[in-house]
Amino acid sequence: MSERRVAITSELSSGLKLVVAMVIVLLSTDGFAQSISTPPRFELEETTISEIHAAVREGILTFAELVQRYLERIEHYDQPLRLNALVVVNDQALARARALDQEFEQTGVLRPLHGIPIIVKDNYDVEGLATTAGSLAMKGSYPPDNAYQITQLLEAGAIVLAKSNMAEWAFNPYVTVSSIAGITRNPYDLSRVPAGSSGGTGAAVAANLGAIGLGTDTGNSIRGPSSHNNLVGIRSTMGATSRDGIVPLSLRNDIGGPMARTVEDAVRLFEVIVGQDPADPITARSKGKISNGYQQFLNVDGLDGARLGVFRHYLRDGAVDPRIRDLMELAIEELRAGGAEIVDPFSIPRFRWVTRNFSCNRFQYDVNNYLASLGEAAPYRNLWSIFDSGLYAPYVEERIKAALKTSSAPADRRPPCEDVYSDPRNIAFREALLAAMDDASIDAIIYPTWGFPPRKVGDMDSPAGDNSQVLAPASGFPAMTVPMGSVADDLPAGLTFVGRAYSEPKLINFSYAYEQRTAHRQPPALFGPIGSDR
């Protein structure tokens, strides 16, 4: 070999050794190793709206991928484990997700709920999906347009992923059973109930089958299932949100609203659906009273200086499971540690007397008007024809019979009873409640959302513990429930805050600060990550 060739070979060998040495050094550094490793994987379980949007902005997730992964969880869990939370999955969800991906790619802008998959209770009108209110009588009933809240959500970029099972016609706060879909179970213990009537939304959101959800609350049907499923639920001030396009139970009390795994996500949903709607005249009362955005009230120090009244009426012997009482006592100390001043006890003078009779059965009147709104496409013209069809679960028959004994006057005539702002009974109660709150100088009332753990499926005899049928519904005041821990076997319980009319900003402050201090929300162990989640 020539001297020149030997020199070149030696140089190449030395150079190669140098390159190898440099690669070894670079591989030993965290930065380089990270740069050549597998891209970060988006964790779906317990994700939030802000985390989803951050992942999309960073390019590690698309909305189509997000929807596909939720669909895989639904297929893997809902029917195979007999959770049975959902009635129908939207076959256009993926197409909408792809369109929203394209929009973001073109504009670089994310709308408030851009690409967020939502579980919607099956009494909300959604174009292209049947609205049954849980009844076989309404099978195949396709509404002519979207409910107002659905329109607002779609404009904000949301995706209706699926419609959820509910207690038939929203008749039952204890169970979620319908003739259209059967029994929904609690994801924390499949032998137990998720409460009603929004139990399908509660179970689905808790099991991470969707990002956030919509329920409706006549007596306790957002807050009860939220409590039983370790969720946050918001019942707004009466008139702050529209009921247009929601199958009614009783419009004097009905409110639709958010159910979510975090306070922030519930608030993000709430600020999209709040506001006036000419189709629901009661929302005219909210003029000038709606805040310009509600996320500004997500304050970790929101309990500082708050005065909270403990409503001991719901903690008396026989009214609460001792384990729930212990959780409530702990919550009181957690609130106090967060800076709140606790007024204990808080009482409402003559409480039993002022709440002795709020009964008024408007169901026939209200549901007949809803059926009329469907026009020629309505499957039945009135409640009598639904009753004659026999297409309903046996447990609702007596409720339908009772409703048929009341007025069926058309919408252009007065209903059997007025709304909470006009009925003398509600006015008297609201004044008594306000006077008691003013006398105690409190900002909100607190109590356990549900006095007993979730019942076993089929058990209608053990104590129920539904605490929320009176204070908020009868007054028209807002209420929020937030997880406050679990009892034996990881059965969730909730803490309720009730405030004055349009005091949602304060309730958000209190709930968020409490949530951030305690982090009581835990996902159900039976519904952990699947292959696509990892």
Side-chain angles (χ1 to χ4, degrees):
M1 184 182 294
S2 68
E3 292 182 6
R4 182 173 179 274
R5 189 172 180 183
V6 169
I8 292 172
T9 302
S10 177
E11 289 173 6
L12 287 171
S13 177
S14 298
L16 182 61
K17 290 178 180 178
L18 178 61
V19 169
V20 171
M22 290 176 65
V23 169
I24 291 172
V25 170
L26 287 169
L27 285 173
S28 68
T29 63
D30 292 339
F32 186 79
Q34 187 174 8
S35 70
I36 65 171
S37 65
T38 304
R41 178 69 169 166
F42 176 75
E43 295 182 7
L44 184 71
E45 191 183 16
E46 297 294 285
T47 193
T48 65
I49 295 169
S50 61
E51 289 169 346
I52 291 168
H53 281 177
V56 170
R57 288 191 179 97
E58 291 166 10
I60 64 173
L61 179 73
T62 67
F63 295 118
E65 290 169 348
L66 177 69
V67 167
Q68 182 59 48
R69 288 171 64 180
Y70 275 125
L71 292 174
E72 289 170 5
R73 282 188 64 85
I74 290 169
E75 184 176 4
H76 185 83
Y77 277 136
D78 190 45
Q79 292 304 313
L81 263 65
R82 299 172 64 217
L83 182 69
N84 198 34
L86 303 177
V87 175
V88 63
V89 173
N90 184 1
D91 62 5
Q92 296 302 306
L94 263 177
R96 177 162 170 81
R98 294 188 185 105
L100 289 164
D101 279 324
Q102 185 175 21
E103 178 186 318
F104 175 62
E105 184 179 345
Q106 293 172 346
T107 66
V109 175
L110 291 175
R111 293 187 256 171
L113 296 177
H114 201 109
I116 303 301
I118 296 182
I119 305 296
V120 176
K121 187 176 180 179
D122 194 25
N123 56 353
Y124 277 82
D125 284 350
V126 178
E127 282 187 279
L129 297 177
T131 299
T132 74
S135 177
L136 271 174
M138 300 293 285
K139 184 178 180 178
S141 177
Y142 289 86
D145 54 15
N146 288 313
Y148 175 84
Q149 290 189 22
I150 299 300
T151 297
Q152 297 301 102
L153 291 173
L154 295 177
E155 289 178 358
I159 300 170
V160 175
L161 181 65
K163 298 193 81 175
S164 58
N165 195 26
M166 57 182 284
E168 188 156 349
W169 296 110
F171 276 153
N172 201 304
Y174 308 120
V175 299
T176 294
V177 178
S178 71
S179 60
I180 201 77
I183 299 171
T184 297
R185 299 171 184 272
N186 191 309
Y188 289 87
D189 181 344
L190 292 167
S191 71
R192 295 181 182 268
V193 300
S197 62
S198 306
T201 297
V205 174
N208 287 276
L209 304 187
I212 50 179
L214 278 176
T216 60
D217 190 309
T218 304
N220 190 22
S221 289
I222 285 173
R223 294 159 294 145
S226 292
S227 177
H228 273 17
N229 292 280
N230 228 355
L231 300 177
V232 177
I234 301 177
R235 177 189 169 95
S236 72
T237 303
M238 177 59 76
T241 52
S242 171
R243 289 86 49 85
D244 172 62
I246 300 175
V247 182
L249 174 57
S250 176
L251 277 179
R252 64 188 254 108
N253 284 358
D254 291 347
I255 287 178
M259 301 171 70
R261 293 183 292 271
T262 68
V263 173
E264 179 178 336
D265 279 1
V267 169
R268 285 174 175 266
L269 176 51
F270 178 68
E271 69 180 8
V272 167
I273 62 173
V274 71
Q276 295 181 70
D277 172 21
D280 186 354
I282 205 165
T283 63
R285 289 180 169 272
S286 68
K287 184 177 181 180
K289 299 171 185 174
I290 301 298
S291 293
N292 183 23
Y294 286 86
Q295 292 181 59
Q296 61 184 305
F297 304 110
L298 297 169
N299 179 8
V300 294
D301 298 318
L303 285 167
D304 192 25
R307 282 179 58 87
L308 306 176
V310 181
F311 194 50
R312 287 279 166 187
H313 179 78
Y314 290 148
L315 291 166
R316 68 193 188 280
D317 289 344
V320 63
D321 185 289
R323 297 168 295 175
I324 302 292
R325 183 191 283 121
D326 289 345
L327 283 182
M328 184 65 194
E329 299 297 348
L330 175 61
I332 291 169
E333 293 309 310
E334 290 168 335
L335 293 164
R336 185 178 281 118
E341 183 176 352
I342 304 299
V343 177
D344 187 5
F346 166 76
S347 60
I348 303 168
R350 304 170 72 207
F351 177 71
R352 293 185 184 278
W353 187 85
V354 295
T355 59
R356 69 193 185 285
N357 181 22
F358 288 119
S359 62
C360 173
N361 195 331
R362 288 182 49 139
F363 180 64
Q364 180 176 203
Y365 175 85
D366 289 333
V367 82
N368 283 357
N369 290 331
Y370 171 79
L371 292 169
S373 76
L374 300 177
E376 294 300 316
Y380 294 93
R381 298 299 173 205
N382 53 49
L383 186 60
W384 270 109
S385 56
I386 289 174
F387 177 72
D388 289 340
S389 76
L391 296 174
Y392 42 79
Y395 82 98
V396 305
E397 182 174 355
E398 292 305 314
R399 291 289 300 269
I400 295 176
K401 284 182 178 178
L404 289 171
K405 295 177 182 178
T406 63
S407 171
S408 60
D412 58 354
R413 294 170 58 187
R414 293 177 69 86
C417 50
E418 300 296 333
D419 61 49
V420 297
Y421 294 118
S422 306
D423 192 307
R425 298 169 298 177
N426 297 90
I427 293 170
F429 173 65
R430 185 165 51 254
E431 290 175 348
L433 182 57
L434 268 177
M437 293 179 74
D438 290 343
D439 288 345
S441 298
I442 62 170
D443 298 300
I445 305 164
I446 57 172
Y447 56 84
T449 309
W450 206 274
F452 288 82
R455 284 169 163 170
K456 293 278 189 177
V457 172
D459 173 15
M460 295 299 289
D461 297 321
S462 64
D466 180 357
N467 288 335
S468 297
Q469 296 281 343
V470 178
L471 296 188
S475 64
F477 288 173
M480 285 185 68
T481 183
V482 64
M484 72 168 181
S486 300
V487 297
D489 302 320
D490 297 324
L491 299 175
L495 170 67
T496 283
F497 297 85
V498 175
R500 295 170 175 80
Y502 300 99
S503 67
E504 283 89 347
K506 286 187 175 183
L507 301 189
I508 290 166
N509 251 323
F510 305 155
S511 298
Y512 183 73
Y514 175 75
E515 172 200 58
Q516 294 299 299
R517 287 188 62 86
T518 60
H520 285 309
R521 160 74 191 177
Q522 296 295 323
L526 292 171
F527 293 82
I530 62 173
S532 65
D533 293 347
R534 297 184 177 93

